[in-house]
Amino acid sequence: MTCLVELILCAFALHSAACSAASIQRRQYQPDSAGGPRTPQQCIEASLTNPTWDIYSPTLVVINGASDGTQGDIGFLAANSATGVSANCTAKDIDLEPRGATALGVWHNCSIPDLSFQFDLETLDMRLRGSWLCDNSSSLVFMANGSWEVPLIQGCFDEETPRGLERLCIMGNSQVPAGLSLPIAIHPQLPLLPYTPRERAQRCVDRSYDPEWQINDLLYQHHFTKKNNMTSISYDLSLDVTNISDGQSLNCSVTVDLQDTYYTNGSTPWVRCNGPGGDDSSSNTTFIDVMLDTDYGVFGIRQAWECSDGVAGVERDQFDGIAYTSFSLDCGRPTNLAVRDSQGLVIGAASDYNCSLLTPPATFSGYVDKAPPMPHTYYSRSCTITSISDTTALALQEYRIESAPIPAGDGNNKTSSVLGSFTLYNLGPGDAYKFSRMPVVDDGAWHDCTAGQEEALPWQLVGCQYLLDRASHRLGFQVQWYCDDRDATNAILFNATVEQQLPGEVCATVGERETCGLPVDVAELDMPISSLTWAASGKPMDRGPTLPWI
C-alpha cells in the first residue's frame, strides 16, 4: 500500500505543477473575494442551489511513508459558499489511514463548530460534514456532507525532522459539493443549459450537433365557451419557425383541447404540427412537435431532420433535437359575447382572445436527441426555496357557500346539499388552488377534498383536507404539494395546515337556493400557516406540467 501511495504522490507531483495547478486556481475564488457573509435569503438560496465547501491551500505531511508510516498531518482552509464563513481545518499527528470497524467514526474538528472532516491516505479520499444556520433567529438548520475530488498534488519535498522523514505535499485548491441531508435530503444541482457556439458552422451536419431554432411569427388564439352547462376550452396555435441547423422554415399549426386528460392532471403535452414542409433538396424534416404552457411562459420544440449538405452520393445524416425557451406573449382584450339559441335566448357565454410574440424573432438553443433530467418549475422561480422560506400563509381569494334543498325519495322530506367554492393562493410554489362547487360537510371535522361537478381538484395538490364550521365561522385546509426544482429526480413533498376564524357570513336567497359569502374582500384575508413540514420523496414528480428550468 505504501508503495502505491509513493507512486501516486510522485506521479501527481511530477504532473500537476506543470499543467493542472493553473486550471484549478482559475476556477476557484479566494476566500477574501468570496463576498463575505450573506444575507439570510442569499444564504438560503445558495444552500438549496449549489452548496459547496471551497478548499484552499491544502497540505499533507506523511511521516516515514517509505517504511509503512501512516502518521502525519492534514490541513486546509474550507469556505462555505452559502454562509461565506471560512474555517481552518487542521489535524496533526493523526493516523492518516485508520482501519477497522470504527475507522469511519473518526472525525477531526475544524476551527468553527459543526464542521469536521476525515482523510484516508490509501485512497486520498476526503470527506466533510457540517451544519449551518442562515439566520440565528430561525430554526432552519442545514446539514450536509460531501466528498473531495481526488486532491491534485502540486509538489512534494522531504525533510528530516525529530518525528522522522517527513514528506510535505502541497495540493491544489478544490471544491467539495455538499449533498443536503437536512432540512431535505437532496443533491442540489445547477441547470444543464444547452451549448451555444460563438460562431455557426457552415455545414448543416456540423450545425446539427448544436441545434438552434428561430420563431419568426406566432399567433395564439384562445377560445372559451360555456353553453347549456357544458364548458369548452381550447386554443389554436400557428407559427413560422426556422431550424437554423438546416436553414429550413416551416409553417406549423395545432389545435389543443385544454380540457382533455393531459391538462386536467396538470401535464402539458407535445402536439404534432400539421403538415411541416419545405422545398430545400438538401434537407428534410420528418416531424416537428411543439409544446406551449402559457401559465409558466414556456415554449418547447422538438424536431427530426436529415441533411447531407447537398453533396452528391453522400447519405443523409439523421438528427433529433429538442429545445425550450421562455418568452412573453402580447395578448389582446377578451371578447365577451353571449351565446344565444335559435330563439335568441341567452344559453351561455363565450370569451376569446388572441396573443402574438412580444419581441419577434425569438432564437434559442437546444439539445441533441433529448434534454437532460429537468424539474417542473423555473429554476429562477424556485418552488423549493420559496416553499421553505416564504410559505407563511395561504391567501383566501374566494369564499362562497351554496345551499339548496334536495327532495327525498317520497317527496315529503327534504335534505340540503352544501357546496363550497374556495380559492387559496400559495406564495411558496406560486400556485392558486381553486375548489369549485365542492361538496362540503359543515360539522367542524376534517374531511378529504372531493371534486365538484364542474371541475376536478387542483392538479398541483398531492393531498387535501378541509374543515368547515359555519356556526363558529371556522375554515381550515391541509394541503400537500410537490417541488423538484433543486433535484429533478427527488421531489420534495410539502404539507401545510391553516385554520382561521372568519367574519360572519352574509347570505342571499334566490328561490330555494341560498348563497353566502363574506362581508369583506376575501382577497385581503391571509390564513397563517400553523404547521409546515417537508420530506424528500426519493422519486421524481408524478404529476404536473412537463416543463424544465431555463
Side-chain angles (χ1 to χ4, degrees), residues 90-172:
T90 302
K92 293 183 176 294
D93 293 316
I94 64 170
D95 185 359
L96 297 170
E97 190 184 333
R99 296 298 184 110
T102 61
L104 291 178
V106 178
W107 289 88
H108 309 288
N109 294 325
C110 297
S111 62
I112 62 174
D114 304 317
L115 179 61
S116 55
F117 69 96
Q118 292 179 331
F119 181 76
D120 189 320
L121 181 63
E122 182 176 16
T123 59
L124 296 181
D125 182 32
M126 171 73 74
R127 291 181 291 273
L128 274 76
R129 70 179 184 186
S131 63
W132 62 90
L133 289 168
C134 287
D135 183 355
N136 289 331
S137 63
S138 171
S139 60
L140 186 62
V141 179
F142 289 93
M143 295 183 64
N145 53 73
S147 295
W148 194 350
E149 303 169 0
V150 175
L152 195 60
I153 308 297
Q154 295 182 320
C156 301
F157 64 89
D158 297 333
E159 181 183 8
E160 283 287 353
T161 71
R163 295 195 298 179
L165 181 64
E166 294 186 1
R167 165 153 287 186
L168 169 64
C169 294
I170 307 299
M171 295 179 281

Side-chain angles (χ1 to χ4, degrees), residues 318-332:
Q318 297 183 351
F319 299 93
D320 294 281
I322 184 171
Y324 301 91
T325 186
S326 62
F327 55 71
S328 299
L329 294 178
D330 184 17
C331 298

